[in-house]
Amino acid sequence: MPSSNLVYFNSRDELLRVDLTKVVYFEASANITEIVTVNKLKALVSMNLASMEQFLGKQTGELARSFVRIGKRYIVNINYIYRINLRNQNLVLSDNDHFVFQLSISKEALKKLRDLMIQIKK
């Protein structure tokens, strides 16, 4: 596993080592962000979503392109996007094998995500 994929979150009581290629999404609640990984491990870090976004950009370089912010609550790994459903306002994230996560997201945010994914594909 290349070390460039690893990031560390340090708090007073804990050191968390995360392989960003295994992160499915980040979910924020106030100044706390939950990290959710492919094996369904979850960890909380004391960081709001804007700070997490900046952290990812500074720490990961090229890998940061895999992550996109959606609305006020989520940053998702675009490599795990399985379905964008505008009508039901949900996003399905999956590796098509071991896990499926469904996130409720506004129609406007999903439209922006869909347009972004179409642009990336071109």
Side-chain angles (χ1 to χ4, degrees), residues 25-87:
Y25 68 94
F26 299 89
E27 181 176 2
S29 176
N31 289 326
I32 303 292
T33 297
E34 183 174 53
I35 302 167
V36 181
T37 64
V38 295
N39 60 356
K40 299 182 183 178
L41 280 176
K42 296 180 179 185
L44 297 175
V45 294
S46 296
M47 189 181 293
N48 65 29
L49 210 56
S51 297
M52 180 62 75
E53 206 171 16
Q54 290 175 352
F55 176 82
L56 290 172
K58 289 179 184 175
Q59 298 294 316
T60 63
E62 196 66 28
L63 187 58
R65 290 182 174 190
S66 297
F67 293 93
V68 63
R69 179 146 181 192
I70 304 174
K72 295 178 181 179
R73 287 183 57 194
Y74 297 103
I75 297 173
V76 300
N77 187 332
I78 62 173
N79 296 312
Y80 295 115
I81 293 175
Y82 176 72
R83 179 185 308 136
I84 299 170
N85 187 317
L86 295 175
R87 183 183 311 196

Side-chain angles (χ1 to χ4, degrees), residues 112-122:
K112 288 179 185 176
L113 178 61
R114 181 189 63 190
D115 294 344
L116 175 66
M117 295 300 294
I118 290 169
Q119 288 300 317
I120 290 171
K121 191 139 170 69
K122 289 182 180 179

